[in-house]
Amino acid sequence: MLTKFETKSNRVKGLSFHPKRPWILASLHSGVIQLWDYRMGTLIDRFDEHDGPVRGVSFHSSQPLFVSGGDDYKIKVWNYKLRRCLFTLLGHLDYIRTVQFHQEYPWIVSASDDQTIRIWNWQSRSCISVLTGHNHYVMCASFHVREDLVVSASLDQTVRVWDIGGLRKKSVAPGGEDPFSRHMPREMRGDDLFGGGDAVVKYVLEGHDRGVNWAGFHPSLPLIVSGADDRQVKLWRMNDTKAWEVDTLRGHVNNVSCCMFHARQDIIVSNSEDKSIRIWDMSKRTGVQTFRREHDRFWILAAHPEVNLLAAGHDSGMIVFKLERERPAYAQHQGTLYYVKDRYLRAYDYGSNRDSPLISVRGARGGNAGAPRSMSYNPAENAVLVNFDAEGGSYELHVLPKGGGGGAEPVDSRRGVGSSAVFVARNRFATLDKAAHEIQIKNLKNEVTKRCALPEATCDGIFYAGTGTLLCRCEDKMILYDVQQRSTMAELATPSIKYVVWSSDMSLVAMLSKHAIVIANRKLGQAVTVHETIRVKSGAWDDSGVFVYTTLNHIKYALPNGDSGIIRTLDTPVYLTKVFGGVVYCLDRDGRNRQIQIDTSEYMFKLALIQRKYDQVLAMIKSGALCGQSIIAYLQNKGFPEVALHFVKDERTRFDLAIECGNIEVALAAAQELDDKDTWHELGVQALRQGNYQIVEFAYQKTKNFERLSFLYLITGNTEKLRKMLKIAEMRSDVMGQFHNALYLGDIPERLRILEESGQYPLAYLTAKTHGMEEDATRLETILTEAGCAVPEIDGTGVLLVPPEPITLGDNWPLLTVSKGFFEGVLAGDISASDYVMEEGEDAGAGWGDDLDLDLGGDEGAKEKEEDPLAGLGLGDDDEREGDGEDDGSDAGWDMEDLELPADLGAGADDGADAGVSEVFVAPTAGVPVARRWTQKSAIPGEHAAAGDFDSAMKLLNRQLGVVNFAPLRQHFIDAALATHAAMSGVTSAPSLSFPLGRNWNSDLAPGVGCAPALVSSLPLLEDRLKVAYKTTTEGKFGEALKMFQGIIHSIAVLLVETRREVDEVRELLGIAREYASALRIEIKRKEYKDDPKRAAELAAYFTHCAMQPIHLSLSLRSAMSIFFKLKNFNTAAEFSRRLLELSPPVKVAQQAKQVLQACERENKDEVELEYDSRNPFVVCAATFTPIYRGTADVACPTCGARFVKEQEGTVCPVCNLGKVGADATGLVCSPEQRK
């Protein structure tokens, strides 16, 4: 059994698969109907209008409907799109056991404990027939898929087959009913009380010794299967006149609950209250397989109408499963695919599409090996290894016939025991012996030639990794193992790997796990991981080095750098065998070869960007084959905003991209279209950075930012416009603006006038006296004396505030001559694309400088030279002088073959080239900063924060812990960054020098290898903070303690530890902090309900169910005991007293608890009904403070693990204030050991 999905809930009594979507309905004994997506593993919806258990449920085959029947005697028809019940059908007088929609007609059949079967028309919402005849509970009833038959099973020990052909003719056939009789009373129409001859019993099958629980038709053969309380499964056959028992299948040891025919295989599936599911061979009438559960009885089975899936409901939930693998075993070499189908090894030629059988595959001993698991092909010896899971792992070795085809017997065929058999050399293959913990190397005669110990005892699988090497799978890593040397070559931390796919040149490997793909090079280096939420099924390498893979419903791609995307959707899963051009070759689950056309333009575009093949990128851009928001976002994230500009039409987005890539002209055009204040301000800031003060001036004028405009004129020396600004300020009656402009201009009389007009006579006097304006100073002194004001004293140390006269005025500030980027130049038409087309490996032009690109011919060449941005650096002068008097160069080309230079002149040529370039200073290439080394191979957010790369730290936290609110982590990031850098002052007026601070440094470190960053926080420090938080909690300072526990959670987000033991301690610490933060929030909330004793009592009860230290749990129990005693809920108060006494409290507390217990036992009742059930396990929702009982759908915070009701999904967790509730996250990474 291959379990695909499992749920935990109350007892499941009814199941139904949706015919098209990956959904399943489960009706529970608690009265709830759950709608699950078994592919994603998520609860889609729940419906709970029934009172009591719901025993039957069924999807409609084409409409968005399902029907349910329960112990409330009601049949309800629901619309799952509208998420509500449409109507209720009433008529049954007892429990309803099963309900089912008809495949074609608008009918529902229901079976009930009132000993009747009813057929309803759900369109007219009426009962159209009542089938009577059973004299005990009718346990099930179902329609035949194609014929007008109904089969029913009853506790009266019979199975009945009913003919409903008359009902069909009457209700459905055209003209089958007189239109006038439709309006006549039933008595006048001649119908009897129970529906007359519309439905009659065709057969009564008797043979079971006890009540029959289930009966069902075969979908295509005239067969019926039944299961009963006599522990037997019986097979019946019928024809037009009679029905008879064929055989009895014995093996169950308790009541058989359900049984059915498998839709695609000749088997019967049954389950029972003996906690087992059994598979029976219809032809041999024997049991084939048995699957057991430890503690759960099975009640119901369901089969998917189209897909090979089954579901079984049991006491604590349900499982969706397959009986065997559907993935075909295959291997491909060059243009041929070898695969197993229907016990034959077949060969498929990709070129001619020819498919031919080669040999028959016998399978393991006994014939019950199931489908082959994998295959390995040896082209040198034309041999194949076929692996099976049976008997703990077995294999078959076949040497194929030279001619092939025709289903011939193999030239040589051998079998053996061992798992994961793969070829490792021309005439050697390896198998894994799990019992002996060794790898056995065998020759083609199946003889052991060598034994190698496993690199680790936990290895449970091996894969081919080139001649003489293997990839060994462990639980959390892959090991590259050299069989010859018996040594480990490399290791890589991975999830549990299921399949390994090598590229054609063996340079790259893709390792596929259940929900991730790890891509690495030949030595398991440069590894990247692509995560998926749906199961990864298969993959193959494209010729260009892109890995194309499939999930359950998509074909996707993964680039060598880890970028991924969707190529197209799939209706059914397929298994890729080869990718060539725009065609994907694959096998479906039936073993048929298929070809699927795909569009490779998106991933080829991204690959060309990564490989810097800009000529290909340009061709794709100009072809217009790419578009969409994803391409724009990708280009922006990868540092190509100038390319993204080509695709964007929205002016706001164009403006943002232009600002990002520094294209001020495009930004100006976009700003003129948008014309809003914020845009002009941002444009002004960017233009100021570039020194383009004309655009700065224009932006400030647009925003009417007169203060900034005046200062701009000051620093650019534009005194004429400053005087205009002075007049504008005067017109606007802006006194401060006038004064500032006068100050910028050095206009002392104007400043004096402004101060005097505004009544600032002391300041005006100081200004006049300081600047030597004695006449004005005397006049102002008189005014001050007459006004009775003190005349300010001049101390003679004043400095004249007169700005210097500008020396030079220019259009813009001088800029460095910078060549345009490839895309900016080519897309604008300024630069030819051919100038940039050069492979990375070519260095023909490197020794010659950049002069090769200059002055290649005529006036047009001169124009290009004039526009070439390199011309400003003086690299073209010599060529220009040497070219005087030459021809126009139109026929010259690269006439290098005319030169015959002796060998001893080679050095001189190089010297000359160097001399030409030495006129320009070339800055040395900067090394890699230590802080960047910390982040290059690190997945620990704390190290990224310590390196100062807050952006990547936030991305890691979002991916690992689902963090969306980073405000609480701001100070933690800053502290981490400051703790890893020291500043040292340099020479005067120079900026200080910053030095990284590391930890665990030693003299043995290699040059250029830095040590890990210093830590601002550590695990012992957090443990000390935990002790302080405990003490604060004991003192009753709950608000302060809550901040401490939340602070511990925040610190853990950026914590870094060394060992796996410390990682476990960090997780334990996180759990403690979460529990206490949740508990304290409950207690703080309780104190807000002083006027609502009922709600306060509920919260006090919830508080006692939080995982706390014994002292705090004791205090919470004492508080709850007192509250409930005062509320006269004596039963519950007694429970708290008993729990308190179990903690062995101090004598006084124990005495008080015993007294309360005695008083409560005398009363033995609860006055107030509360939403609290101590016997039903629950957790408390951290947002609504309501209990979430076991089996109820809930969501969790990926950061701290706090639990919430489903309605809180998508909100920010109030416990840690960091994570998004219900978000997907990979888990906390706080140590390098976790990645090994």
Side-chain angles (χ1 to χ4, degrees):
M1 180 195 294
L2 301 173
T3 301
K4 295 297 180 181
F5 175 59
E6 187 167 1
T7 67
K8 298 293 183 183
S9 65
N10 286 312
R11 183 184 304 168
V12 175
K13 300 294 289 183
L15 291 170
S16 178
F17 280 102
H18 194 282
K20 300 296 182 185
R21 301 185 182 184
W23 294 354
I24 187 170
L25 278 170
S27 59
L28 310 185
H29 200 265
S30 62
V32 175
I33 303 169
Q34 296 178 335
L35 177 58
W36 292 92
D37 185 322
Y38 54 80
R39 183 177 290 175
M40 297 293 292
T42 55
L43 180 66
I44 299 172
D45 212 338
R46 62 197 304 272
F47 310 89
D48 53 359
E49 289 188 18
H50 277 284
D51 297 325
V54 184
R55 300 179 185 272
V57 70
S58 174
F59 269 117
H60 195 279
S61 59
S62 59
Q63 298 295 321
L65 304 175
F66 69 89
V67 61
S68 62
D71 285 5
D72 54 3
Y73 314 166
K74 296 176 182 177
I75 297 172
K76 291 180 177 287
V77 177
W78 311 74
N79 186 311
Y80 56 74
K81 285 187 177 179
L82 302 178
R83 304 177 65 183
R84 65 182 179 87
C85 176
L86 299 180
F87 53 88
T88 301
L89 301 174
L90 300 174
H92 280 295
L93 306 176
D94 209 334
Y95 297 169
I96 296 167
R97 295 285 179 172
T98 63
V99 289
Q100 183 194 17
F101 277 111
H102 196 280
Q103 288 286 104
E104 182 180 353
Y105 309 141
W107 293 350
I108 296 169
V109 64
S110 59
S112 171
D113 285 0
D114 64 5
Q115 305 180 16
T116 67
I117 302 151
R118 288 178 179 258
I119 299 177
W120 313 77
N121 187 316
W122 58 265
Q123 289 181 341
S124 64
R125 306 184 184 183
S126 61
C127 177
I128 58 175
S129 186
V130 181
L131 282 60
T132 60
H134 286 294
N135 52 31
H136 209 307
Y137 300 163
V138 183
M139 301 301 289
C140 82
S142 60
F143 290 113
H144 195 282
V145 177
R146 289 187 301 275
E147 299 182 20
D148 296 329
L149 297 175
V150 170
V151 64
S152 62
S154 170
L155 294 188
D156 63 7
Q157 304 180 14
T158 66
V159 175
R160 291 176 180 248
V161 179
W162 309 78
D163 187 341
I164 57 172
L167 183 65
R168 178 184 60 80
K169 293 175 183 176
K170 174 181 176 182
S171 302
V172 179
E177 182 180 0
D178 183 1
F180 295 103
S181 66
R182 192 177 308 156
H183 305 285
M184 296 171 60
R186 294 180 64 92
E187 295 79 7
M188 297 179 65
R189 279 187 279 164
D191 295 343
D192 64 12
L193 181 61
F194 300 110
D198 296 344
V200 296
V201 176
K202 191 171 184 180
Y203 314 116
V204 178
L205 309 179
E206 297 178 330
H208 284 288
D209 298 330
R210 293 193 178 180
V212 186
N213 292 316
W214 201 268
F217 289 115
H218 193 283
S220 57
L221 299 175
L223 298 174
I224 296 172
V225 65
S226 62
D229 288 348
D230 58 6
R231 307 173 184 178
Q232 297 175 2
V233 177
K234 288 186 179 290
L235 185 63
W236 313 79
R237 180 178 289 274
M238 60 182 180
N239 58 21
D240 293 337
T241 59
K242 63 178 181 177
W244 64 96
E245 182 180 336
V246 176
D247 208 342
T248 299
L249 308 176
R250 295 177 174 86
H252 284 294
V253 295
N254 207 332
N255 303 338
V256 179
S257 306
C258 189
C259 54
M260 61 172 51
F261 294 102
H262 195 282
R264 295 189 171 197
Q265 302 177 38
D266 289 336
I267 58 175
I268 294 171
V269 185
S270 64
N271 63 11
S272 166
E273 294 179 40
D274 64 5
K275 306 169 188 173
S276 72
I277 299 174
R278 290 178 180 262
I279 313 300
W280 312 85
D281 189 315
M282 279 177 57
S283 56
K284 297 179 180 179
R285 318 279 169 77
T286 58
V288 178
Q289 290 173 296
T290 302
F291 310 110
R292 299 184 185 276
R293 288 185 73 88
E294 289 293 326
H295 307 292
D296 299 317
R297 297 168 295 174
F298 285 101
W299 298 102
I300 188 69
L301 280 171
H304 197 287
E306 296 182 8
V307 182
N308 188 17
L309 282 177
L310 297 170
H314 52 76
D315 280 336
S316 58
M318 69 160 176
I319 52 174
V320 177
F321 62 96
K322 289 181 182 179
L323 296 178
E324 62 182 20
R325 292 163 47 84
E326 293 181 285
R327 177 192 178 97
Y330 60 89
Q332 70 104 10
H333 176 68
Q334 295 180 350
T336 306
L337 172 70
Y338 299 92
Y339 68 102
V340 176
K341 179 183 178 182
D342 299 333
R343 297 290 182 182
Y344 276 90
L345 176 66
R346 307 178 71 90
Y348 174 76
D349 188 278
Y350 290 118
S352 62
N353 295 333
R354 183 171 175 267
D355 191 345
S356 56
L358 299 179
I359 59 172
S360 61
V361 179
R362 289 173 293 178
R365 300 178 186 89
N368 294 327
R373 183 171 187 86
S374 61
M375 182 191 300
S376 178
Y377 176 69
N378 182 351
E381 299 292 337
N382 198 29
V384 295
L385 281 165
V386 183
N387 290 294
F388 297 88
D389 285 335
E391 303 173 2
S394 61
Y395 64 88
E396 292 184 6
L397 172 63
H398 301 283
V399 178
L400 303 180
K402 295 296 182 182
E409 286 298 315
V411 174
D412 195 6
S413 178
R414 291 179 172 85
R415 299 184 184 185
V417 176
S419 62
S420 308
V422 291
F423 288 104
V424 291
R426 184 181 64 82
N427 56 0
R428 294 287 186 274
F429 67 92
T431 64
L432 175 63
D433 188 341
K434 294 182 181 179
H437 297 287
E438 65 181 11
I439 298 171
Q440 298 179 351
I441 308 300
K442 300 183 180 182
N443 57 24
L444 296 185
K445 296 180 180 179
N446 207 20
E447 300 168 343
V448 178
T449 62
K450 188 176 184 180
R451 301 178 188 270
C452 306
L454 289 173
E456 285 203 10
T458 58
C459 290
D460 61 353
I462 56 175
F463 303 92
Y464 175 70
T467 303
T469 54
L470 293 169
L471 276 173
C472 299
R473 176 182 65 199
C474 299
E475 183 179 353
D476 57 353
K477 62 182 174 182
M478 294 290 283
I479 300 173
L480 186 61
Y481 185 70
D482 190 323
V483 177
Q484 298 292 334
Q485 303 296 326
R486 292 187 173 92
S487 62
T488 298
M489 301 169 63
E491 292 185 2
L492 180 62
T494 64
S496 180
I497 298 301
K498 298 171 67 178
Y499 308 105
V500 170
V501 184
W502 287 91
S503 60
S504 57
D505 59 356
M506 297 292 290
S507 62
L508 293 171
V509 61
M511 294 168 279
L512 281 61
S513 73
K514 188 175 182 180
H515 289 107
I517 297 169
V518 181
I519 296 177
N521 61 15
R522 179 72 179 82
K523 301 297 183 183
L524 299 189
Q526 300 175 358
V528 295
T529 304
V530 179
H531 294 279
E532 289 290 339
T533 56
I534 306 180
R535 286 190 180 92
V536 178
K537 304 305 290 183
S538 66
W541 288 94
D542 190 359
D543 293 337
S544 56
V546 177
F547 187 67
V548 180
Y549 63 98
T550 62
T551 63
L552 280 171
N553 51 9
H554 286 110
I555 299 179
K556 308 181 85 171
Y557 66 86
L559 301 180
N561 68 343
D563 294 334
S564 62
I566 297 174
I567 297 176
R568 61 169 292 168
T569 57
L570 292 171
D571 296 328
T572 57
V574 295
Y575 303 94
L576 299 191
T577 59
K578 183 181 179 66
V579 181
F580 184 74
V583 179
V584 166
Y585 296 89
C586 56
L587 287 167
D588 62 17
R589 283 178 164 171
D590 293 327
R592 294 190 298 263
N593 280 283
R594 292 176 56 188
Q595 298 180 20
I596 302 175
Q597 297 289 331
I598 62 171
D599 182 4
T600 64
S601 56
E602 180 178 328
Y603 73 69
M604 291 303 295
F605 176 79
K606 293 180 179 180
L607 184 67
L609 270 179
I610 294 169
Q611 296 177 345
R612 302 180 183 276
K613 296 179 179 178
Y614 294 146
D615 54 329
Q616 296 181 17
V617 175
L618 184 66
M620 292 182 187
I621 292 172
K622 291 185 174 179
S623 69
L626 295 162
C627 62
Q629 293 295 325
S630 60
I631 288 291
I632 296 168
Y634 181 84
L635 290 168
Q636 192 172 2
N637 292 334
K638 293 299 178 182
F640 296 98
E642 67 275 16
V643 187
L645 268 174
H646 179 78
F647 297 98
V648 177
K649 303 301 180 187
D650 177 64
E651 294 297 341
R652 167 53 63 184
T653 309
R654 283 180 65 81
F655 177 81
D656 293 338
L657 290 171
I659 290 294
E660 186 175 343
C661 64
N663 194 329
I664 205 70
E665 292 83 4
V666 175
L668 175 60
Q672 288 174 328
E673 292 292 331
L674 294 169
D675 197 20
D676 64 77
K677 188 173 181 179
D678 292 338
T679 305
W680 285 116
H681 173 74
E682 192 175 352
L683 178 65
V685 171
Q686 183 65 25
L688 193 59
R689 286 183 183 144
Q690 293 190 10
N692 194 330
Y693 96 85
Q694 291 177 341
I695 293 181
V696 177
E697 177 185 6
F698 185 58
Y700 288 168
Q701 287 173 353
K702 282 286 188 179
T703 58
K704 297 183 180 178
N705 198 330
F706 298 109
E707 292 80 6
R708 290 175 181 266
L709 204 52
S710 296
F711 192 75
L712 176 70
Y713 292 147
L714 170 68
I715 60 177
T716 55
N718 199 329
T719 55
E720 181 182 350
K721 290 188 177 179
L722 260 179
R723 294 196 180 278
K724 291 183 179 180
M725 292 303 299
L726 179 62
K727 292 180 181 178
I728 292 171
E730 187 174 354
M731 293 169 59
R732 294 174 56 242
S733 300
D734 183 2
V735 177
M736 285 303 295
Q738 287 179 263
F739 186 80
H740 284 155
N741 283 300
L743 192 65
Y744 296 158
L745 284 165
D747 192 340
I748 293 119
E750 183 65 21
R751 283 167 52 197
L752 189 63
R753 184 185 67 80
I754 294 168
L755 289 170
E756 192 172 349
E757 286 181 357
S758 58
Q760 298 291 336
Y761 293 107
L763 289 175
Y765 171 76
L766 287 173
T767 302
K769 193 71 175 175
T770 304
H771 291 84
M773 302 172 66
E774 294 298 336
E775 183 179 342
D776 291 315
T778 304
R779 178 173 56 80
L780 290 167
E781 184 179 359
T782 303
I783 294 172
L784 288 170
T785 304
E786 290 176 354
C789 298
V791 178
E793 295 182 2
I794 305 298
D795 58 5
T797 60
V799 180
L800 301 182
L801 273 173
V802 179
E805 290 291 328
I807 299 172
T808 179
L809 294 174
D811 290 339
N812 278 320
W813 293 345
L815 302 176
L816 286 175
T817 304
V818 181
S819 62
K820 286 190 175 183
F822 169 74
F823 294 109
E824 286 182 285
V826 174
L827 293 176
D830 299 336
I831 304 172
S832 170
S834 60
D835 294 342
Y836 287 86
V837 179
M838 183 175 291
E839 296 293 333
E840 291 181 359
E842 294 179 22
D843 52 1
W848 296 93
D850 293 307
D851 300 301
L852 296 180
D853 293 332
L854 302 178
D855 199 15
L856 297 183
D859 296 335
E860 184 177 348
K863 181 179 178 183
E864 288 181 7
K865 176 180 181 299
E866 184 180 352
E867 293 180 354
D868 195 308
L870 299 178
L873 297 179
L875 296 182
D877 296 341
D878 295 339
D879 282 84
E880 186 177 355
R881 285 191 293 271
E882 292 170 8
D884 292 340
E886 299 284 330
D887 62 2
D888 60 2
S890 59
D891 300 322
W894 298 97
D895 294 333
M896 290 186 288
E897 64 273 7
D898 296 337
L899 301 176
E900 297 181 2
L901 300 178
D904 56 355
L905 294 182
D910 288 340
D911 294 340
D914 292 341
V917 178
S918 64
E919 298 176 8
V920 179
F921 170 73
V922 179
T925 304
V928 179
V930 175
R932 188 180 299 174
R933 287 194 198 131
W934 291 340
T935 63
Q936 280 178 342
K937 295 184 179 180
S938 171
I940 304 172
E943 287 192 334
H944 287 251
D949 192 349
F950 294 169
D951 183 59
S952 64
M954 288 191 288
K955 289 179 180 177
L956 284 172
L957 284 172
N958 178 264
R959 184 165 67 245
Q960 294 174 5
L961 294 178
V963 178
V964 293
N965 179 28
F966 294 95
L969 299 178
R970 181 176 182 273
Q971 194 58 46
H972 294 276
F973 278 20
I974 294 172
D975 292 345
L978 292 178
T980 56
H981 291 81
M984 181 181 295
S985 59
V987 296
T988 307
S989 75
S992 60
L993 303 176
S994 177
F995 295 95
L997 300 178
R999 72 181 192 281
N1000 303 335
W1001 183 88
N1002 61 71
S1003 58
D1004 297 331
L1005 286 173
V1009 178
C1011 49
L1015 301 177
V1016 69
S1017 182
S1018 63
L1019 187 58
L1021 182 64
L1022 291 185
E1023 290 173 344
D1024 292 340
R1025 289 169 58 184
L1026 179 65
K1027 293 176 184 176
V1028 176
Y1030 280 156
K1031 183 179 179 182
T1032 309
T1033 305
T1034 307
E1035 294 170 354
K1037 301 174 182 176
F1038 296 144
E1040 187 177 338
L1042 176 60
K1043 292 180 181 177
M1044 290 182 180
F1045 286 113
Q1046 288 177 332
I1048 291 173
I1049 297 174
H1050 299 163
S1051 299
I1052 288 174
V1054 291
L1055 186 64
L1056 192 151
V1057 295
E1058 300 292 344
T1059 65
R1060 285 188 174 272
R1061 182 183 62 80
E1062 288 179 320
V1063 172
D1064 295 336
E1065 291 177 1
V1066 168
R1067 288 174 177 158
E1068 183 181 358
L1069 179 61
L1070 178 62
I1072 293 171
R1074 176 197 68 235
E1075 286 294 326
Y1076 267 87
S1078 301
L1080 292 173
R1081 291 184 68 251
I1082 293 173
E1083 183 63 11
I1084 292 170
K1085 191 71 176 177
R1086 180 186 70 80
K1087 294 183 178 180
E1088 297 177 6
Y1089 285 95
K1090 294 180 179 179
D1091 299 331
D1092 188 355
K1094 176 184 174 182
R1095 180 60 176 159
E1098 289 175 348
L1099 292 173
Y1102 302 156
F1103 189 33
T1104 66
H1105 287 266
C1106 296
M1108 296 184 288
Q1109 294 291 310
I1111 183 175
H1112 302 139
L1113 184 58
S1114 176
L1115 291 170
S1116 68
L1117 286 168
R1118 287 176 62 188
S1119 173
M1121 180 181 69
S1122 302
I1123 291 171
F1124 276 74
F1125 189 80
K1126 293 174 183 177
L1127 198 63
K1128 297 184 179 180
N1129 276 34
F1130 299 115
N1131 271 341
T1132 313
E1135 289 182 14
F1136 294 138
S1137 303
R1138 294 188 190 97
R1139 289 175 60 193
L1140 180 58
L1141 290 170
E1142 290 173 359
L1143 296 176
S1144 302
V1147 178
K1148 282 187 177 181
V1149 177
Q1151 186 177 359
Q1152 182 190 16
K1154 290 176 182 177
Q1155 291 173 352
V1156 171
L1157 181 59
Q1158 291 174 0
C1160 292
E1161 286 176 343
R1162 285 197 299 268
E1163 297 293 336
N1164 197 21
K1165 65 178 181 178
D1166 284 341
E1167 291 284 344
V1168 182
E1169 186 177 348
L1170 302 177
E1171 189 181 349
Y1172 171 64
D1173 183 2
S1174 62
R1175 295 179 181 83
N1176 194 353
F1178 67 88
V1179 293
V1180 180
C1181 172
T1184 62
F1185 302 107
T1186 54
I1188 305 173
Y1189 291 104
R1190 182 179 294 173
T1192 307
D1194 64 346
V1195 289
C1197 169
T1199 306
C1200 65
R1203 309 294 287 275
F1204 298 86
V1205 294
K1206 189 72 174 176
E1207 291 74 18
Q1208 295 295 321
E1209 187 171 8
T1211 61
V1212 176
C1213 173
V1215 176
C1216 61
N1217 292 325
L1218 298 177
K1220 179 181 178 182
V1221 176
D1224 291 329
T1226 58
L1228 174 66
V1229 177
C1230 59
S1231 171
E1233 292 295 320
Q1234 291 175 266
R1235 313 300 291 180
K1236 292 182 180 178

